[in-house]
Each structure stands twice: as structure tokens, then as C-alpha cells.
Amino acid sequence: MRIAFRLLALIMALFTGNLLKAQKNSVSKNLVYVDKQGLLRFTSDNKEAAFFGVNYTIPFAHAYRAHKALNVDIEKAIQQDVYHIARLGLDAFRVHVWDTEISDSLGNLIENDHLKLFDFLLAELKKRKIKTIITPIAFWGNGYPERDERTPGFSRVFGRGKLTTNDTAIKAQENYMVQFFKHVNPYTKLSYVNDPDVIAVELNNEPSHSGPPAGVTTYINRLAAAVRSVGFTKPLYYNIAQSPFYAAAVAKANIDGVSFQWYPTGLVANQEVKGNFLPNVDHYRIPFDTIPEYLTKSRMVYEFDAADVLQSNIYPATARSFKEAGFQWVTQFAYDPMAMANVNTEYQTHYLNLAYTPSKAISMLIASEVFHQLPRLKNYGNYPADSVFGAFRVSYRNDLSEMNTEQKFYYSNTTQTNPVNSAKLTSIAGVGTSAIIKYDGSGAYFLDKVEDGVWRLEVMPDAIHIRDPFERASPKKEVTRIQWLANPMQIMLPDLGEGFGIKALNEGNTNSVSVSSTTFQIQPGTYLVTRVGKGISHGKNSIGVIGLKEYVAPKSLVTEMFLRHEPFAEVSAGKSFLVTATVVGIDTGRVTLQISKLGGGGPGGGFRNIPMVRKTASTYTAEVPADFVNPGLLSYKILLQKGGEYALFPGNFKGNPQAWDVFSNETWKTFVAPENGRLEIYNPTTDRTARIYPGNRRGFQSAFITAEKPGQLILRLAATELSGDHIIGLQHFFADKLAGRKAEAASFDQLIIRARTAEAQPIMAKVILTNADAISVSATITLTNTLQDIEVPLNNLMSDSMLLMPRPYPGFQPLKFGATRAINSSFKLSEIEKIEITIGSDVLPAAYKKPYSMEVESIWIQKRK
């Protein structure tokens, strides 16, 4: 018996020793590991790691169904999108796998088309040296923005709330984890355990926890143990930001790191949000430093985006703040598949694609460089001081992000900056015009040095936004038009000189390019640009992971004439003004402004046809002369004509507008304000862009109520008490309302608010004004229960802070921002972009339990008489 026992002990010791040795060998083969201080390091040299990239969802859910509906080859679509992701210099991919589509209710893995395409995607990413963190459980249904399907998986059966507490549901997840990580990718011939490019796992996506903290820790440990049971020795992460109440419980679990998200401009505004949002990404605040176990955890960002924002200045600033906060993995949510980016139906609140959002895409390229180059934990100060950091610059006023080193010069829009040393440049990427490349198109371009005197030029087609891409989406509604046009370009590089040669490279590109000095016409495609007398060396077929002849771009799916125009609400009497329109589908033809005065007659006549002049490939303008701009109402249409084809806007009326049966009566309208006429900057009857705070809180209500004046609405905000942040209020962006009266804007010197409170006693409210540089000043007004015109005292403004709206998520991010720059005499009412009215900042805690309300009918600026 003793001999048998000793033999068994010896066998167990050998087995355990071999298992530990195998695990040690496995760890040594992992690309990265987490050290005792919580830093993610490369196993090969122990240097700190950094990865920056995107989420991308094409194998699953709506993206999968949309591609099927379009009859698109999904594998080819994946190859094309992965090429663009690599072209942007990104090296990180993450997605929450829709477990509900690849599992049954017991957690058994279902090998189907979704899993096959996911494996194909991982294989394509591997070819481009892009690393992956897998989140194997999404919890979500697969419907959005459609209805969920009746999928077979455990997530649909149990629902998000029960998945973290119900033992049967947890057993299904454990079973699923084991089978998922044992699964062998048929394209790489590797399991996710053995694939070196799958560098870590985030156990699930945005969990919903309840119950005692100890139960949360136990749940996480069960999932972690299931993954590790199949020999997975790579880092494991778990979401700590979704439920901050359970942060300590998460940090105590047997995991290597914690995951965070950041939506600094909120989510799903259903419209483009406008204004300076650089303060929203000034710093990423983490409130968990008092948790000892947290301090030894690696940090990753599984999702982030400046949702509903088209500006190209946000991503690099966000990357800077992430690096300051100590993150080493960051992935944006989500990169739009090219085949459906023209309609932006996947997640309407997000919009990022190299072809369809070129400026944002180049800013992502710059953000990746920021994240890889800046040191971890370094603080660059507060906005606006941190607008320049290292080799990088961001600008709200210029809608620009920029990288400028001796080797690389990247810019997201036209820039006046000179490169550090144009003679030493090896890589240029941009949109618009710079000191070294002048370009009239609206697509992105890349110019990369292959060797001395030889460069690779890649030019994307024009991308024209014809509708707000963040509105309610539909596959029937095009939001961005792609146009393949020949546009003028000029390259001024010392290494190329003048008279250089340009040769088409990509398949199907037969364009012959003639260069005059440094200027030429270029169509979308990939080209080899060579100095006079220079040829490419034999064997040069790629630059990094980008092949010389590779090129991917969407064709224009629609050729219909279409127009986008935003009219001025008001213009100044006696001043000419420009009507500007974005026009597509009319390479040759006429665009005509048809404008009339209400009532007709008067100086300058009552009606005019004004030909619109083409300024860029898609921009047309017409000047309405000063003698036609008299106080009153202007109504106008814009007529597009291409041969015998007509389109009349607004309304997109087809047919000859001179025909007897034309019934289109739609027009744009612009009021012409008389001298000394006031300018209304907020009216709740017509304005729907004001941001209300709080968005959702017990005891708080916002409503539109009728006023004494017929047809007029009042915005009412009311709280039974000042709970939470002890603030209620509204914020409104109105810079667009000033645009038509810029000529007289400097003479406005009075701000009037017509408002009241519903309470019996007067209430103090704060009025905060914020300019384009995010400098805020404030004054205090008194609201009574009588609706009255209240003049805001502008002669005694105090430096203050503004609400960050839309509210950044997660909720532990700052609510307010105050610029460090002091106010001075140059602070003008005409430069204000936002107005904010709040109650609560001056209320003492003893008075929090009282009811508070404000009712606002109108806000305007005027000239003192």
C-alpha cells in the first residue's frame, strides 16, 4: 500500500512538474506579460508595451446581416477593411464576440459562419501584424439597430442581469469558455491559446452586477479559472468602470488587468454635436487609486469614441490623456465597414472609415503615433496649454490635428504649419493642403518614401457629407457620397524636385499622369513617384505591411444629383452674403440660386436668378448683392441641371421646374434684420439642440409648455430637490446663429433672457458664457415667478467653469471644465459659442431639499439704444 502510495505521489509530482514547466514555457512564448507593478511588458525585452487600434464587428450581428443584404463577399470586405486599418498605422483589434450567435443555451460552441468569419478576420489581422484582445462574451442581443433575433445562445436565454448571478448561467459560460479557447482557427491552424497574436482576453463585455461584492469576485474567478483550465497563460482583464460600486470586488479577483471605456461626448445624440470638445478629453480621471489591489493591475481601454462628432481634433488629444492615465491598450469603437459606411447604419453615433471620414481617419493615424510615442503618465497641463504636446498639435478653430517630426508630417485638414525638415521626410499623410502638398480633393492621401528619389503615392476618392451621419440611420439613406474625380495636386519635396515621373501601380489603374514642374492632375489610386533619372530598386515590393501595388477604395454607389445646404437664420440688412451649397452628381451642368423677397418689389427688385460658382469639386457659392438684402424675409431655392435632368431643392423635386404642373413650394428662408435689430440665440419653439442637465434623475423633469404668446413654447426644468450633483440647467450652442450677422456682431452689447421660476420665492440662477477657446465667464440673475426680460450684467463678468455637455461617460469623469487662461478685455459677446443657465452652484447644502425650477422663453442679444 505504501509502495503504491509513493508511486502515485511520484506520478503526481512528475505530472505537476511537467504542467508547471509547460505553463512556464507557454508564458515565455507569450508576446506580453503583466509585471508586479501592473505594467504590460514585452516578454522578449521587458520594455513597456503600447497598442492602439479599433473595434470592428463585421463577422457578427447587424454588420454581418447588412453585408449579406448587399450581396457582398464578406471575406473580401474583411481584407479591404483590414488593409485600411493597417494603412492607418493601427496595431490593435478588439471586439466583443456575439456569444449569442455562436453558442447554445448550455454554452456549447456552435461552429458556424460567424465563427468562421471571425477566424478569417484574425488571420488577416495577423498578416498585417495587428494584435488582438478577445472579449468572448458580449451579453448583448444581435439586433441593434434592428430587433434582436431569436439566437440560440445562453445570453438570450438568461438575459444580462442573470448571467452574473445565476449558477446555471455561469456554468454555461464556463463551458463556453473552455470550448471557445480549445477551438482551432482553421486559417491559422492555431487555437486562441496558442496564437501569439491573441495577446490577452477581456473576460466579458460591460457586465451588469448585483448582490454582494464577494459574489462578483467569485463570478470573475470562475470565468478566469475556466479560461486558464485550457492552458491560457496570457493576461486576463475585467471591466472595472461599468459598475464602480464593485471596483474593489473586481480588483480582488484573480485577473491581471482591468478595462475602462470613455465616451467624452456622450452617446446617441441623433445629430452632429458642435462646439469645442477638447475640454471633454482634457484628462481621464480614475477614482480607484485607494484600492490596493487595483494598483497592481494593468489598464486597458476596450472602447472609446467622441460620438456624434465629425471634427478631426479629438482623437490625438484623447490618446494623450489615455497615456497620461497609464493605459497601454486602447481600441476605438468602432471602425465602420467600408461596404456600409455610405449609410452609417451599424452604430449611427459612431462614424470612422478611411474612405468616408478621411479627416477623422487621419486623426486616428496621428492618435496612434501619439499613443506609441508619448511617455506613460506624463502630464501636459490643462487645455489650452495641452493643445501642443511633443510633436503633436490639436486645434478646434482649425478643425485640425497634426504630427510634425523630421521623418513624419501628418495633418487631418489644411494646415499652415511648415514641416520640421522637408528634406528628411519619409512619410506624409493628410487631407487638404500643406506647405509640401497642395490638393483640391477631399479624400485622404499618403506619400511614403520607398528609397531615395522614389515615393509611393496613394490617393483616396473624394468623400462628401450630404446628410448628417448621426441622424436616425437607414440603409435607404445615403449620408456620404464617394466621387472619383481628377483633382489638381502639387508635390514640393526636395527629394523629388521638379518634373518627376508618376506611374500608376494598382490593378486596373490606367491613368497616365503628366507633370508640369511640380503640378499634375491625379485620380484615385496608387502611384510610383520617381525623381528624374531615378528608378526603383529591384525587389522593393512593400513598405512595412503595405504592398506597393495595393489599393482599396469604394466606388460611388449613387450618381443622383443631390444637394446639402444650411441657410442662415438671419443676415444683416445692406450687406451682401454668400449662399454656399454642397453639390454631388453634377460633374458638368448648372447650379442656380433662385431667390425672392416676401412681398416682392422694393430696392433691388423682388426676384433674381444668380448662377452659383463652383469653388471645389463639390462646393458652390452665390453672392446675394447688398442692394437685394433689405429688411424682411428672403425665400430661395437651388436648381441643379445636368443636360435635360433637373433637381430642385429643398425637397429634391425632379422634373423641369418650368413645367405647368410643378407643385413644389418648399423654400429656404432667411430673415434680413434691420440695423439695431436684435438676434435671438435661443428659442425653445424652434431650437432642439439645447443640452439639458441632468439627463435622467429621480425628481427632475424637463418639458416644453405653451406660453401666453400664441405659437410660443417655454422650456421648463423642475426638480423636487437638488440631489446628485446639486445642479439643474441647460446649455446651448449658438455660434451658427451669429454666422449671418458677423459684420455687425461686434456691436452687440446686451444679453437678454426672458424667463421665470414656478416657485413662490425668487431663485438665483447663473448664466455662463463660453467662447471658442473654452474660456467661460458668468454672471448671476434673479428669477421671479413673473415672466420678464432680464438683462445679464456684462460689465462684471467673473471667470467660471462650464458644464461638459453632452455629459462624458463613465460618470466618474469630470462634470465641469474651467480654462486656466484669465479673462481680459478681448472677451467679446460676439465670440461666445455657448450659453448656459444653471441653478444650484450657489445654493447652500441646507437648501438642497427645496424644489427648484426655471422656465425659459427666449434668449437674445441686442445693441444698446
Side-chain angles (χ1 to χ4, degrees):
M1 188 71 177
R2 290 180 179 177
I3 295 174
F5 180 79
R6 288 175 180 174
L7 182 60
L8 180 61
L10 178 62
I11 292 171
M12 290 298 295
L14 288 171
F15 175 79
T16 303
N18 288 335
L19 180 62
L20 291 173
K21 184 177 180 181
Q23 289 179 336
K24 185 175 181 180
N25 289 337
S26 175
V27 171
S28 67
K29 292 179 181 179
N30 295 341
L31 182 70
V32 293
Y33 71 97
V34 177
D35 71 11
K36 293 181 180 180
Q37 286 72 46
L39 296 182
L40 190 67
R41 296 186 180 275
F42 288 109
T43 305
S44 60
D45 57 12
N46 295 317
K47 290 183 178 179
E48 289 187 17
F51 302 92
F52 191 88
V54 291
N55 284 253
Y56 171 72
T57 69
I58 196 171
F60 306 104
H62 173 73
Y64 174 85
R65 295 191 300 272
H67 281 73
K68 286 289 187 182
L70 293 168
N71 198 28
V72 170
D73 181 333
I74 299 182
E75 289 189 356
K76 184 177 180 181
I78 287 172
Q79 289 175 326
Q80 292 175 332
D81 288 330
V82 170
Y83 169 74
H84 280 166
I85 291 169
R87 176 70 274 195
L88 292 174
L90 307 178
D91 62 354
F93 162 74
R94 179 263 182 191
V95 72
H96 50 65
V97 173
W98 270 263
D99 55 279
T100 193
E101 292 186 320
I102 63 168
S103 70
D104 66 16
S105 62
L106 300 177
N108 294 312
L109 188 68
I110 299 174
E111 307 242 0
N112 57 18
D113 202 33
H114 299 292
L115 186 59
K116 177 186 174 185
L117 288 168
F118 179 63
D119 285 337
F120 181 81
L121 170 58
L122 295 185
E124 291 301 308
L125 293 164
K126 179 185 288 288
K127 294 175 185 177
R128 304 287 184 177
K129 299 183 178 179
I130 297 172
K131 309 308 176 188
T132 295
I133 288 183
I134 298 176
T135 304
I137 298 176
F139 291 134
W140 306 113
N142 74 338
Y144 187 87
E146 308 162 74
R147 287 189 175 186
D148 285 347
E149 296 179 318
R150 287 187 61 83
T151 50
F154 54 83
S155 286
R156 186 190 65 81
V157 173
F158 291 99
R160 189 161 169 252
K162 291 183 179 179
L163 283 165
T164 58
T165 56
N166 181 283
D167 188 64
T168 303
I170 297 171
K171 286 179 179 177
Q173 292 168 76
E174 290 172 318
N175 182 39
Y176 167 76
M177 290 292 206
V178 169
Q179 294 189 31
F180 183 82
F181 285 100
K182 280 185 176 180
H183 164 76
V184 175
N185 184 328
Y187 299 98
T188 64
K189 310 303 180 187
L190 297 167
S191 69
Y192 308 141
V193 173
N194 295 322
D195 188 338
D197 292 315
V198 176
I199 69 166
V201 163
E202 182 196 27
L203 290 171
N204 58 27
N205 179 72
E206 298 180 351
S208 176
H209 285 298
S210 60
V216 173
T217 306
T218 300
Y219 167 76
I220 299 170
N221 286 343
R222 287 180 65 174
L223 292 194
V227 175
R228 291 185 175 122
S229 72
V230 295
F232 193 93
T233 58
K234 303 168 188 178
L236 298 182
Y237 290 81
Y238 198 85
N239 192 313
I240 197 172
Q242 187 74 11
S243 302
F245 176 78
Y246 291 104
V250 171
K252 289 177 181 178
N254 296 327
I255 53 175
D256 306 287
V258 286
S259 60
F260 295 77
Q261 74 279 68
W262 200 11
Y263 290 112
T265 56
L267 286 168
V268 196
N270 290 309
Q271 62 189 346
E272 181 185 357
V273 293
K274 297 180 180 180
N276 184 353
F277 297 110
L278 289 172
N280 294 52
V281 296
D282 204 33
H283 300 282
Y284 189 91
R285 304 297 187 190
I286 300 176
F288 308 133
D289 288 351
T290 58
I291 302 172
E293 295 86 352
Y294 163 79
L295 300 176
T296 60
K297 298 292 188 289
S298 171
R299 304 170 199 172
M300 67 169 280
V301 175
Y302 68 98
E303 291 179 11
F304 83 94
D305 196 24
D308 304 306
V309 174
L310 267 180
Q311 298 171 39
S312 67
N313 50 53
I314 304 293
Y315 288 151
T318 307
R320 176 209 64 221
S321 294
F322 280 143
K323 207 61 185 289
E324 176 199 342
F327 293 105
Q328 294 179 265
W329 173 284
V330 170
T331 37
Q332 180 268 355
F333 192 92
Y335 189 84
D336 285 84
M338 185 179 72
M340 54 192 292
N342 63 311
V343 293
N344 194 31
T345 59
E346 188 186 27
Y347 292 95
Q348 71 181 60
T349 195
H350 308 291
Y351 200 28
L352 175 65
N353 179 274
L354 174 56
Y356 286 91
T357 63
S359 289
K360 284 185 71 174
I362 294 299
S363 77
M364 270 295 285
L365 166 67
I366 296 168
S368 181
E369 293 282 351
V370 169
F371 197 73
H372 286 93
Q373 288 194 21
L374 294 189
R376 196 175 51 85
L377 303 179
K378 182 170 181 178
N379 186 310
Y380 289 87
N382 301 320
Y383 183 80
D386 60 3
S387 294
V388 178
F389 42 100
F392 307 96
R393 181 172 77 95
V394 293
S395 169
Y396 164 67
R397 288 182 179 269
N398 302 121
D399 186 14
L400 177 68
S401 50
E402 214 173 60
M403 175 184 181
N404 193 2
T405 69
E406 285 196 341
Q407 290 76 37
K408 298 179 180 181
F409 187 37
Y410 300 154
Y411 41 93
S412 65
N413 265 322
T414 293
T415 178
Q416 303 299 317
T417 300
N418 290 315
V420 172
N421 189 337
S422 58
K424 291 186 177 182
L425 284 171
T426 60
S427 182
I428 304 155
V431 176
T433 288
S434 71
I436 53 176
I437 296 182
K438 298 187 184 301
Y439 183 55
D440 283 359
S442 60
Y445 52 82
F446 304 84
L447 186 61
D448 297 292
K449 190 172 185 177
V450 181
E451 57 182 288
D452 286 346
V454 181
W455 294 68
R456 178 187 185 272
L457 174 64
E458 183 173 358
V459 180
M460 297 297 291
D462 290 342
I464 301 110
H465 300 302
I466 60 173
R467 291 185 177 93
D468 185 339
F470 305 112
E471 294 174 345
R472 187 176 179 88
S474 167
K476 301 174 184 177
K477 185 178 75 171
E478 181 187 26
V479 298
T480 303
R481 176 76 60 88
I482 292 293
Q483 290 193 157
W484 286 60
L485 300 174
N487 290 308
M489 178 177 273
Q490 183 180 18
I491 298 177
M492 296 160 285
L493 272 179
D495 189 50
L496 288 174
E498 297 185 359
F500 44 80
I502 301 180
K503 177 185 176 182
L505 287 177
N506 59 294
E507 183 179 352
N509 189 348
T510 60
N511 297 319
S512 178
V513 182
S514 177
V515 178
S516 174
S517 183
T518 57
T519 303
F520 50 93
Q521 293 283 120
I522 196 75
Q523 294 189 25
T526 302
Y527 300 85
L528 197 67
V529 185
T530 53
R531 188 172 61 217
V532 174
K534 187 74 170 70
I536 189 170
S537 300
H538 179 70
K540 292 278 188 178
N541 298 314
S542 65
I543 303 174
V545 296
I546 303 299
L548 287 186
K549 296 184 178 182
E550 286 191 276
Y551 185 71
V552 172
K555 298 294 182 182
S556 182
L557 302 174
V558 183
T559 58
E560 175 197 17
M561 291 188 293
F562 197 81
L563 176 148
R564 183 179 185 181
H565 169 66
E566 296 181 9
F568 291 125
E570 293 185 14
V571 294
S572 302
K575 308 286 185 183
S576 64
F577 69 96
L578 283 180
V579 173
T580 302
T582 299
V583 181
V584 293
I586 187 168
D587 297 345
T588 58
R590 291 189 296 175
V591 181
T592 306
L593 173 68
Q594 301 177 339
I595 189 166
S596 62
K597 300 176 185 176
L598 181 64
F607 177 82
R608 290 192 186 182
N609 275 328
I610 305 175
M612 299 191 74
V613 179
R614 190 175 195 168
K615 294 296 185 181
T616 70
S618 59
T619 303
Y620 287 75
T621 65
E623 183 176 4
V624 181
D627 65 351
F628 195 78
V629 187
N630 314 122
L633 179 66
L634 298 176
S635 300
Y636 60 94
K637 305 178 182 182
I638 298 177
L639 176 65
L640 310 183
Q641 181 181 359
K642 182 169 60 175
E645 207 180 330
Y646 298 88
L648 189 63
F649 290 85
N652 195 12
F653 178 83
K654 307 294 186 185
N656 189 335
Q658 304 303 322
W660 69 271
D661 57 349
V662 171
F663 57 86
S664 173
N665 294 317
E666 293 182 63
T667 62
W668 286 293
K669 294 177 174 59
T670 294
F671 287 91
V672 180
E675 186 178 2
N676 294 324
R678 73 187 194 185
L679 174 61
E680 190 171 53
I681 59 176
Y682 177 65
N683 186 326
T685 306
T686 54
D687 292 319
R688 291 291 181 270
T689 58
R691 301 290 163 194
I692 308 301
Y693 189 81
N696 183 24
R697 183 190 294 166
R698 180 176 295 180
F700 173 78
Q701 288 185 334
S702 63
F704 292 96
I705 61 175
T706 51
E708 298 172 4
K709 182 179 176 182
Q712 177 69 46
L713 292 176
I714 290 177
L715 175 64
R716 183 174 192 270
L717 308 180
T720 54
E721 62 180 21
L722 291 180
S723 58
D725 297 306
H726 314 299
I727 293 175
I728 64 171
L730 70 97
Q731 186 184 89
H732 181 58
F733 175 87
F734 63 89
D736 49 347
K737 297 209 172 188
L738 282 171
R741 298 182 69 180
K742 280 289 185 185
E744 55 178 322
S747 60
F748 290 112
D749 54 7
Q750 281 186 297
L751 171 64
I752 310 295
I753 299 174
R754 184 165 179 79
R756 68 187 175 197
T757 180
E759 312 310 318
Q761 299 299 317
I763 287 177
M764 303 300 290
K766 182 180 285 188
V767 179
I768 300 172
L769 307 173
T770 305
N771 69 9
D773 296 319
I775 299 173
S776 297
V777 294
S778 70
T780 300
I781 61 173
T782 301
L783 301 178
T784 69
N785 57 12
T786 301
L787 196 62
Q788 56 186 322
D789 298 347
I790 306 167
E791 181 176 356
V792 179
L794 300 179
N795 58 351
N796 192 27
L797 295 171
M798 304 294 292
S799 181
D800 213 318
S801 58
M802 64 173 175
L803 291 175
L804 292 175
M805 299 290 286
R807 178 72 169 102
Y809 183 84
F812 52 73
Q813 294 306 306
L815 172 63
K816 294 184 176 182
F817 173 84
T820 54
R821 191 186 303 173
I823 63 172
N824 52 46
S825 58
S826 65
F827 192 92
K828 298 181 175 61
L829 188 61
S830 60
E831 295 180 355
I832 302 301
E833 288 197 339
K834 293 179 182 179
I835 185 168
E836 182 180 307
I837 308 175
T838 60
I839 295 172
S841 58
D842 298 322
V843 174
L844 296 175
Y848 285 160
K849 296 296 184 179
K850 294 169 50 181
Y852 293 87
S853 65
M854 74 167 85
E855 298 178 358
V856 180
E857 182 180 278
S858 180
I859 306 174
W860 67 90
I861 55 177
Q862 64 186 28
K863 304 169 187 177
R864 197 174 297 277
K865 297 177 183 178

